[in-house]
PDB file of all heavy atoms in Angstrom:
ATOM      1  N   VAL W   1       0.832  -1.204   0.000  1.00 44.00           N
ATOM      2  CA  VAL W   1       0.000   0.000   0.000  1.00 44.00           C
ATOM      3  C   VAL W   1       0.862   1.248   0.000  1.00 44.00           C
ATOM      4  O   VAL W   1       0.615   2.232  -0.693  1.00 44.00           O
ATOM      5  CB  VAL W   1      -0.956  -0.007   1.217  1.00 44.00           C
ATOM      6  CG1 VAL W   1      -1.647   1.341   1.361  1.00 44.00           C
ATOM      7  CG2 VAL W   1      -1.994  -1.102   1.054  1.00 44.00           C
ATOM      8  N   ALA W   2       1.935   1.228   0.787  1.00 45.00           N
ATOM      9  CA  ALA W   2       2.838   2.389   0.845  1.00 45.00           C
ATOM     10  C   ALA W   2       3.475   2.648  -0.501  1.00 45.00           C
ATOM     11  O   ALA W   2       3.590   3.796  -0.943  1.00 45.00           O
ATOM     12  CB  ALA W   2       3.909   2.145   1.923  1.00 45.00           C
ATOM     13  N   CYS W   3       3.893   1.569  -1.169  1.00 45.00           N
ATOM     14  CA  CYS W   3       4.505   1.740  -2.493  1.00 45.00           C
ATOM     15  C   CYS W   3       3.489   2.306  -3.482  1.00 45.00           C
ATOM     16  O   CYS W   3       3.784   3.191  -4.273  1.00 45.00           O
ATOM     17  CB  CYS W   3       5.043   0.391  -3.006  1.00 45.00           C
ATOM     18  SG  CYS W   3       6.460  -0.185  -2.035  1.00 45.00           S
ATOM     19  N   GLY W   4       2.261   1.757  -3.448  1.00 47.00           N
ATOM     20  CA  GLY W   4       1.232   2.251  -4.369  1.00 47.00           C
ATOM     21  C   GLY W   4       0.881   3.689  -4.090  1.00 47.00           C
ATOM     22  O   GLY W   4       0.656   4.484  -4.983  1.00 47.00           O
ATOM     23  N   GLY W   5       0.842   4.083  -2.804  1.00 46.00           N
ATOM     24  CA  GLY W   5       0.517   5.471  -2.465  1.00 46.00           C
ATOM     25  C   GLY W   5       1.562   6.421  -2.980  1.00 46.00           C
ATOM     26  O   GLY W   5       1.263   7.496  -3.462  1.00 46.00           O
ATOM     27  N   ASN W   6       2.838   6.074  -2.893  1.00 46.00           N
ATOM     28  CA  ASN W   6       3.894   6.942  -3.421  1.00 46.00           C
ATOM     29  C   ASN W   6       3.764   7.116  -4.923  1.00 46.00           C
ATOM     30  O   ASN W   6       4.037   8.191  -5.467  1.00 46.00           O
ATOM     31  CB  ASN W   6       5.273   6.369  -3.082  1.00 46.00           C
ATOM     32  CG  ASN W   6       5.560   6.487  -1.587  1.00 46.00           C
ATOM     33  OD1 ASN W   6       4.993   7.352  -0.918  1.00 46.00           O
ATOM     34  ND2 ASN W   6       6.424   5.603  -1.082  1.00 46.00           N
ATOM     35  N   LYS W   7       3.307   6.064  -5.580  1.00 42.00           N
ATOM     36  CA  LYS W   7       3.213   6.133  -7.040  1.00 42.00           C
ATOM     37  C   LYS W   7       2.136   7.109  -7.477  1.00 42.00           C
ATOM     38  O   LYS W   7       2.286   7.813  -8.460  1.00 42.00           O
ATOM     39  CB  LYS W   7       2.923   4.736  -7.599  1.00 42.00           C
ATOM     40  CG  LYS W   7       2.865   4.715  -9.124  1.00 42.00           C
ATOM     41  CD  LYS W   7       2.693   3.299  -9.625  1.00 42.00           C
ATOM     42  CE  LYS W   7       2.650   3.293 -11.146  1.00 42.00           C
ATOM     43  NZ  LYS W   7       2.490   1.934 -11.679  1.00 42.00           N
ATOM     44  N   ASN W   8       0.993   7.161  -6.710  1.00 44.00           N
ATOM     45  CA  ASN W   8      -0.125   8.013  -7.111  1.00 44.00           C
ATOM     46  C   ASN W   8      -0.064   9.398  -6.482  1.00 44.00           C
ATOM     47  O   ASN W   8      -0.954  10.201  -6.675  1.00 44.00           O
ATOM     48  CB  ASN W   8      -1.450   7.349  -6.714  1.00 44.00           C
ATOM     49  CG  ASN W   8      -1.683   6.061  -7.499  1.00 44.00           C
ATOM     50  OD1 ASN W   8      -1.319   5.990  -8.659  1.00 44.00           O
ATOM     51  ND2 ASN W   8      -2.261   5.053  -6.848  1.00 44.00           N
ATOM     52  N   GLN W   9       0.934   9.718  -5.715  1.00 43.00           N
ATOM     53  CA  GLN W   9       1.020  11.010  -5.053  1.00 43.00           C
ATOM     54  C   GLN W   9       1.228  12.125  -6.090  1.00 43.00           C
ATOM     55  O   GLN W   9       1.999  11.988  -7.023  1.00 43.00           O
ATOM     56  CB  GLN W   9       2.181  10.992  -4.058  1.00 43.00           C
ATOM     57  CG  GLN W   9       2.239  12.229  -3.185  1.00 43.00           C
ATOM     58  CD  GLN W   9       3.347  12.113  -2.158  1.00 43.00           C
ATOM     59  OE1 GLN W   9       4.122  11.168  -2.194  1.00 43.00           O
ATOM     60  NE2 GLN W   9       3.404  13.071  -1.258  1.00 43.00           N
ATOM     61  N   MET W  10       0.460  13.285  -5.935  1.00 41.00           N
ATOM     62  CA  MET W  10       0.565  14.422  -6.855  1.00 41.00           C
ATOM     63  C   MET W  10       1.927  15.081  -6.707  1.00 41.00           C
ATOM     64  O   MET W  10       2.453  15.193  -5.598  1.00 41.00           O
ATOM     65  CB  MET W  10      -0.527  15.450  -6.543  1.00 41.00           C
ATOM     66  CG  MET W  10      -1.929  14.951  -6.826  1.00 41.00           C
ATOM     67  SD  MET W  10      -2.203  14.666  -8.579  1.00 41.00           S
ATOM     68  CE  MET W  10      -2.117  16.323  -9.187  1.00 41.00           C
ATOM     69  N   PRO W  11       2.516  15.534  -7.810  1.00 46.00           N
ATOM     70  CA  PRO W  11       3.809  16.195  -7.724  1.00 46.00           C
ATOM     71  C   PRO W  11       3.666  17.550  -7.049  1.00 46.00           C
ATOM     72  O   PRO W  11       2.578  18.149  -7.039  1.00 46.00           O
ATOM     73  CB  PRO W  11       4.221  16.356  -9.192  1.00 46.00           C
ATOM     74  CG  PRO W  11       2.929  16.378  -9.939  1.00 46.00           C
ATOM     75  CD  PRO W  11       2.017  15.448  -9.207  1.00 46.00           C
ATOM     76  N   GLU W  12       4.699  18.025  -6.489  1.00 50.00           N
ATOM     77  CA  GLU W  12       4.690  19.334  -5.859  1.00 50.00           C
ATOM     78  C   GLU W  12       4.435  20.423  -6.906  1.00 50.00           C
ATOM     79  O   GLU W  12       4.835  20.302  -8.051  1.00 50.00           O
ATOM     80  CB  GLU W  12       6.022  19.598  -5.157  1.00 50.00           C
ATOM     81  CG  GLU W  12       6.283  18.673  -3.980  1.00 50.00           C
ATOM     82  CD  GLU W  12       7.584  19.011  -3.270  1.00 50.00           C
ATOM     83  OE1 GLU W  12       8.248  19.979  -3.706  1.00 50.00           O
ATOM     84  OE2 GLU W  12       7.932  18.328  -2.303  1.00 50.00           O
ATOM     85  N   ALA W  13       3.726  21.522  -6.462  1.00 56.00           N
ATOM     86  CA  ALA W  13       3.433  22.639  -7.366  1.00 56.00           C
ATOM     87  C   ALA W  13       4.731  23.284  -7.849  1.00 56.00           C
ATOM     88  O   ALA W  13       5.676  23.463  -7.083  1.00 56.00           O
ATOM     89  CB  ALA W  13       2.554  23.660  -6.654  1.00 56.00           C
ATOM     90  N   SER W  14       4.727  23.645  -9.152  1.00 73.00           N
ATOM     91  CA  SER W  14       5.930  24.245  -9.721  1.00 73.00           C
ATOM     92  C   SER W  14       6.059  25.688  -9.285  1.00 73.00           C
ATOM     93  O   SER W  14       5.066  26.405  -9.125  1.00 73.00           O
ATOM     94  CB  SER W  14       5.862  24.154 -11.249  1.00 73.00           C
ATOM     95  OG  SER W  14       6.922  24.880 -11.826  1.00 73.00           O
ATOM     96  N   ASN W  15       7.281  26.155  -9.099  1.00 86.00           N
ATOM     97  CA  ASN W  15       7.554  27.544  -8.755  1.00 86.00           C
ATOM     98  C   ASN W  15       8.023  28.328  -9.977  1.00 86.00           C
ATOM     99  O   ASN W  15       8.537  29.430  -9.845  1.00 86.00           O
ATOM    100  CB  ASN W  15       8.608  27.608  -7.638  1.00 86.00           C
ATOM    101  CG  ASN W  15       8.617  28.952  -6.948  1.00 86.00           C
ATOM    102  OD1 ASN W  15       7.578  29.559  -6.773  1.00 86.00           O
ATOM    103  ND2 ASN W  15       9.798  29.431  -6.579  1.00 86.00           N
ATOM    104  N   ASP W  16       7.840  27.734 -11.161  1.00 90.00           N
ATOM    105  CA  ASP W  16       8.224  28.401 -12.403  1.00 90.00           C
ATOM    106  C   ASP W  16       7.120  29.363 -12.838  1.00 90.00           C
ATOM    107  O   ASP W  16       5.948  28.979 -12.912  1.00 90.00           O
ATOM    108  CB  ASP W  16       8.460  27.366 -13.515  1.00 90.00           C
ATOM    109  CG  ASP W  16       9.645  26.468 -13.220  1.00 90.00           C
ATOM    110  OD1 ASP W  16      10.453  26.835 -12.350  1.00 90.00           O
ATOM    111  OD2 ASP W  16       9.751  25.409 -13.860  1.00 90.00           O
ATOM    112  N   PHE W  17       7.501  30.581 -13.132  1.00 94.00           N
ATOM    113  CA  PHE W  17       6.547  31.576 -13.622  1.00 94.00           C
ATOM    114  C   PHE W  17       7.168  32.291 -14.823  1.00 94.00           C
ATOM    115  O   PHE W  17       8.326  32.720 -14.755  1.00 94.00           O
ATOM    116  CB  PHE W  17       6.208  32.604 -12.545  1.00 94.00           C
ATOM    117  CG  PHE W  17       5.299  32.082 -11.471  1.00 94.00           C
ATOM    118  CD1 PHE W  17       5.815  31.424 -10.358  1.00 94.00           C
ATOM    119  CD2 PHE W  17       3.924  32.213 -11.581  1.00 94.00           C
ATOM    120  CE1 PHE W  17       4.985  30.943  -9.375  1.00 94.00           C
ATOM    121  CE2 PHE W  17       3.087  31.723 -10.597  1.00 94.00           C
ATOM    122  CZ  PHE W  17       3.608  31.079  -9.495  1.00 94.00           C
ATOM    123  N   PRO W  18       6.404  32.398 -15.922  1.00 94.00           N
ATOM    124  CA  PRO W  18       6.939  33.114 -17.091  1.00 94.00           C
ATOM    125  C   PRO W  18       7.077  34.606 -16.801  1.00 94.00           C
ATOM    126  O   PRO W  18       6.183  35.242 -16.252  1.00 94.00           O
ATOM    127  CB  PRO W  18       5.895  32.861 -18.186  1.00 94.00           C
ATOM    128  CG  PRO W  18       4.653  32.496 -17.455  1.00 94.00           C
ATOM    129  CD  PRO W  18       5.073  31.846 -16.186  1.00 94.00           C
ATOM    130  N   VAL W  19       8.217  35.140 -17.187  1.00 95.00           N
ATOM    131  CA  VAL W  19       8.557  36.534 -16.921  1.00 95.00           C
ATOM    132  C   VAL W  19       8.991  37.176 -18.231  1.00 95.00           C
ATOM    133  O   VAL W  19       9.647  36.547 -19.065  1.00 95.00           O
ATOM    134  CB  VAL W  19       9.675  36.632 -15.868  1.00 95.00           C
ATOM    135  CG1 VAL W  19      10.181  38.062 -15.730  1.00 95.00           C
ATOM    136  CG2 VAL W  19       9.188  36.106 -14.530  1.00 95.00           C
ATOM    137  N   MET W  20       8.613  38.449 -18.434  1.00 94.00           N
ATOM    138  CA  MET W  20       9.054  39.165 -19.617  1.00 94.00           C
ATOM    139  C   MET W  20       9.668  40.501 -19.202  1.00 94.00           C
ATOM    140  O   MET W  20       9.292  41.095 -18.186  1.00 94.00           O
ATOM    141  CB  MET W  20       7.887  39.411 -20.581  1.00 94.00           C
ATOM    142  CG  MET W  20       6.840  40.391 -20.102  1.00 94.00           C
ATOM    143  SD  MET W  20       5.521  40.727 -21.321  1.00 94.00           S
ATOM    144  CE  MET W  20       6.461  41.576 -22.585  1.00 94.00           C
ATOM    145  N   THR W  21      10.645  40.943 -20.009  1.00 94.00           N
ATOM    146  CA  THR W  21      11.272  42.252 -19.797  1.00 94.00           C
ATOM    147  C   THR W  21      10.599  43.259 -20.714  1.00 94.00           C
ATOM    148  O   THR W  21      10.499  43.050 -21.922  1.00 94.00           O
ATOM    149  CB  THR W  21      12.781  42.176 -20.099  1.00 94.00           C
ATOM    150  OG1 THR W  21      13.386  41.190 -19.247  1.00 94.00           O
ATOM    151  CG2 THR W  21      13.440  43.527 -19.846  1.00 94.00           C
ATOM    152  N   LEU W  22      10.127  44.355 -20.145  1.00 94.00           N
ATOM    153  CA  LEU W  22       9.364  45.334 -20.909  1.00 94.00           C
ATOM    154  C   LEU W  22      10.269  46.170 -21.796  1.00 94.00           C
ATOM    155  O   LEU W  22      11.401  46.502 -21.421  1.00 94.00           O
ATOM    156  CB  LEU W  22       8.584  46.248 -19.960  1.00 94.00           C
ATOM    157  CG  LEU W  22       7.587  45.545 -19.039  1.00 94.00           C
ATOM    158  CD1 LEU W  22       6.927  46.546 -18.113  1.00 94.00           C
ATOM    159  CD2 LEU W  22       6.531  44.803 -19.851  1.00 94.00           C
ATOM    160  N   GLN W  23       9.737  46.518 -22.970  1.00 91.00           N
ATOM    161  CA  GLN W  23      10.462  47.360 -23.921  1.00 91.00           C
ATOM    162  C   GLN W  23       9.514  48.414 -24.484  1.00 91.00           C
ATOM    163  O   GLN W  23       8.293  48.225 -24.511  1.00 91.00           O
ATOM    164  CB  GLN W  23      11.038  46.513 -25.062  1.00 91.00           C
ATOM    165  CG  GLN W  23      12.064  45.487 -24.619  1.00 91.00           C
ATOM    166  CD  GLN W  23      12.559  44.652 -25.784  1.00 91.00           C
ATOM    167  OE1 GLN W  23      11.962  44.654 -26.853  1.00 91.00           O
ATOM    168  NE2 GLN W  23      13.658  43.939 -25.583  1.00 91.00           N
ATOM    169  N   GLN W  24      10.081  49.509 -24.943  1.00 89.00           N
ATOM    170  CA  GLN W  24       9.266  50.527 -25.592  1.00 89.00           C
ATOM    171  C   GLN W  24       8.884  50.069 -27.005  1.00 89.00           C
ATOM    172  O   GLN W  24       9.685  49.446 -27.703  1.00 89.00           O
ATOM    173  CB  GLN W  24      10.014  51.860 -25.674  1.00 89.00           C
ATOM    174  CG  GLN W  24      10.013  52.648 -24.371  1.00 89.00           C
ATOM    175  CD  GLN W  24      10.531  54.056 -24.562  1.00 89.00           C
ATOM    176  OE1 GLN W  24      11.232  54.336 -25.527  1.00 89.00           O
ATOM    177  NE2 GLN W  24      10.185  54.950 -23.644  1.00 89.00           N
ATOM    178  N   SER W  25       7.650  50.395 -27.392  1.00 87.00           N
ATOM    179  CA  SER W  25       7.187  50.020 -28.725  1.00 87.00           C
ATOM    180  C   SER W  25       6.092  50.995 -29.141  1.00 87.00           C
ATOM    181  O   SER W  25       5.799  51.951 -28.429  1.00 87.00           O
ATOM    182  CB  SER W  25       6.664  48.574 -28.732  1.00 87.00           C
ATOM    183  OG  SER W  25       5.576  48.451 -27.818  1.00 87.00           O
ATOM    184  N   GLU W  26       5.498  50.763 -30.293  1.00 84.00           N
ATOM    185  CA  GLU W  26       4.370  51.572 -30.744  1.00 84.00           C
ATOM    186  C   GLU W  26       3.282  50.648 -31.254  1.00 84.00           C
ATOM    187  O   GLU W  26       3.551  49.517 -31.688  1.00 84.00           O
ATOM    188  CB  GLU W  26       4.783  52.574 -31.806  1.00 84.00           C
ATOM    189  CG  GLU W  26       5.338  51.979 -33.082  1.00 84.00           C
ATOM    190  CD  GLU W  26       5.736  53.064 -34.069  1.00 84.00           C
ATOM    191  OE1 GLU W  26       6.739  53.765 -33.814  1.00 84.00           O
ATOM    192  OE2 GLU W  26       5.021  53.212 -35.073  1.00 84.00           O
ATOM    193  N   THR W  27       2.046  51.140 -31.178  1.00 83.00           N
ATOM    194  CA  THR W  27       0.921  50.289 -31.568  1.00 83.00           C
ATOM    195  C   THR W  27      -0.258  51.153 -31.987  1.00 83.00           C
ATOM    196  O   THR W  27      -0.355  52.324 -31.611  1.00 83.00           O
ATOM    197  CB  THR W  27       0.508  49.371 -30.399  1.00 83.00           C
ATOM    198  OG1 THR W  27      -0.526  48.492 -30.819  1.00 83.00           O
ATOM    199  CG2 THR W  27       0.022  50.194 -29.215  1.00 83.00           C
TER     200      THR W  27
END
């Protein structure tokens, strides 16, 4: 049971966040 529980455990939430560097433009 312990082995099966480890297999189905949800992965930890990712701390990756997309980031962009702002630039001047026209639109």
Side-chain angles (χ1 to χ4, degrees):
V1 170
C3 292
N6 290 335
K7 182 175 180 180
N8 294 324
Q9 188 176 6
M10 293 294 293
E12 294 183 1
S14 172
N15 198 36
D16 295 343
F17 286 87
V19 172
M20 69 177 293
T21 301
L22 301 178
Q23 297 178 346
Q24 281 191 339
S25 60
E26 61 181 71
T27 184

